[in-house]
Amino acid sequence: MKLLFWRSLVVLFLVLGFIGALLPGMPTTVFLILAAWAASKGWPEVDAWLLNHPKYGVTLRAWRANGTVPRQAKWFASIMMFISAMLMLLTNAPLFVKIGTDVTMLIVAIWLWLRPEPVCYDRDGKTK
């Protein structure tokens, strides 16, 4: 039963990550980080596949090792959250929903920018 729970989470997060790869404004990497976390609890083959993925593997390994987020990802996420916040203000949602959503995105953006960035090395082994 426990294994089924973790694997169900993996599938859910992978589906959300796939949707995020197709839809602008919805994150991909966050859901892949969650999928890798759930996979590490109950699906080691998928965990290894995610960590060795040619596009997302480096980011997932860096997150797991040091909790780092690349600057480009921070900018992209922040811009998308800003656009989403502006669009939210144009909706017919109740005011408390608009404010709550926008404040939540602001808190996430602040947290994101407080995360360390991966250290990059040049060919000589010096940091860039």
Side-chain angles (χ1 to χ4, degrees), residues 46-59:
V46 175
D47 185 42
W49 174 74
L50 286 168
L51 294 177
N52 293 310
H53 191 275
K55 183 172 182 178
Y56 299 107
V58 172
T59 303

Side-chain angles (χ1 to χ4, degrees), residues 7-22:
R7 289 185 176 193
S8 298
L9 278 181
V10 171
V11 170
L12 172 68
F13 292 139
L14 284 175
V15 167
L16 290 172
F18 179 75
I19 292 169
L22 298 176

Side-chain angles (χ1 to χ4, degrees), residues 91-114:
T91 68
N92 292 330
L95 183 60
F96 76 92
V97 172
K98 293 178 183 183
I99 293 171
T101 304
D102 289 356
V103 168
T104 300
M105 286 189 280
L106 177 63
I107 291 168
V108 169
I110 292 168
W111 173 84
L112 183 64
W113 281 96
L114 292 174

Side-chain angles (χ1 to χ4, degrees), residues 29-30 32-34 36-37 51 56-70 74 111-112 115-116 118:
T29 308
V30 172
L32 294 182
I33 288 171
L34 290 169
W37 166 74
L51 294 177
Y56 299 107
V58 172
T59 303
L60 294 173
R61 289 191 304 273
W63 173 262
R64 186 171 285 177
N66 303 309
T68 59
V69 178
K74 291 178 182 183
W111 173 84
L112 183 64
R115 302 300 318 150

